Amino acid sequence: MPEVRLIDEDGTHIGVMRTRDALEMARERGLDLVEVQPNASPPVCRLMDYGKFRYEESRRERESRKKQRAVVVKEVRLRPKIDDHDLNTKGRQAYRFLQSGDKVKITVLFRGREIAHQDIGEGLLNRLAEQLAPVAVVDQPPHMEGRTMVMMLSPKAPAPERGEAERPEANERSGAEQ
């Protein structure tokens, strides 16, 4: 008869015993015999309520998924001949994306003979990087990808969850009421 190493529901080691005896012990306690390490010699089994174990595991998994936030990459497109005002507008848009916790991909599109003046595109990207320096970190410095120049920015500090932005005036009121 094959033998197993048995661990009870509290995690204390009971010892090595026959599989039939371990099953009998599990039935007496109203628990399941679950093989946790099949490759060990002898295999390790545990006495547990398997349904409860699966439920707890799925709950933990759901909680961890709730705390995760998918990384969203927003793109801001520019042209080398962009005016200063338009560049500032694009910068404010990127600023809002970064404030909400998203990464930003800033792209300068070159058409025709504009490709000969890559230094203009690089200058634009560097100006935006300086403008966004309080809230952003440069992940990838400006580099060419075909006929486009790309720079990646990510937010400096972890952003609060959407909808949970702190309002100092609300905190002051609640403190005054107490």
Side-chain angles (χ1 to χ4, degrees):
M1 178 97 255
E3 292 185 332
V4 294
R5 185 174 307 276
L6 190 63
I7 299 172
D8 72 355
E9 62 271 17
D10 302 326
T12 55
H13 178 73
I14 293 176
V16 178
M17 59 174 49
R18 293 192 338 216
T19 308
R20 182 176 293 149
D21 297 337
L23 273 169
E24 193 175 310
M25 185 182 289
R27 281 193 198 106
E28 286 172 5
R29 296 182 184 190
L31 299 171
D32 301 309
L33 183 66
V34 180
E35 190 175 39
V36 291
Q37 281 188 329
N39 297 332
S41 179
V44 179
C45 292
R46 184 178 203 122
L47 297 175
M48 67 170 68
D49 183 353
Y50 190 64
K52 183 179 177 184
F53 171 74
R54 289 287 306 259
Y55 172 74
E56 293 288 331
E57 199 169 81
S58 69
R59 210 174 92 220
R60 273 194 300 271
E61 193 174 300
R62 248 191 330 269
E63 283 295 317
S64 70
R65 259 190 267 125
K66 209 181 280 186
K67 293 175 185 171
Q68 286 180 352
R69 184 172 186 279
V71 175
V72 178
V73 178
K74 303 278 190 167
E75 184 174 18
V76 175
R77 290 184 174 188
L78 309 171
R79 298 291 313 271
K81 295 179 183 176
I82 193 167
D83 193 38
D84 287 339
H85 174 72
D86 296 331
L87 184 66
N88 290 336
T89 302
K90 295 287 188 174
R92 283 194 306 272
Q93 185 69 43
Y95 186 87
R96 278 206 321 255
F97 292 151
L98 290 162
Q99 284 292 329
S100 65
D102 300 326
K103 287 189 170 195
V104 177
K105 177 180 181 181
I106 302 177
T107 307
V108 179
L109 305 167
F110 295 100
R111 289 162 93 189
R113 293 182 184 173
E114 292 174 348
I115 197 77
H117 300 286
Q118 294 176 11
D119 55 326
I120 294 172
E122 192 168 351
L124 289 173
L125 291 176
N126 288 333
R127 275 178 56 191
L128 273 178
E130 287 176 30
Q131 182 181 341
L132 299 171
V135 293
V137 175
V138 177
D139 277 350
Q140 291 179 0
H143 65 281
M144 289 298 293
E145 290 180 1
R147 298 187 69 84
T148 62
M149 186 173 282
V150 178
M151 177 174 69
M152 288 290 291
L153 301 173
S154 61
K156 265 188 182 174
E161 292 292 319
R162 291 181 192 253
E164 292 183 12
E166 283 192 32
R167 296 181 313 178
E169 65 276 358
N171 291 340
E172 290 170 9
R173 270 189 253 128
S174 64
E177 292 171 3
Q178 293 176 350

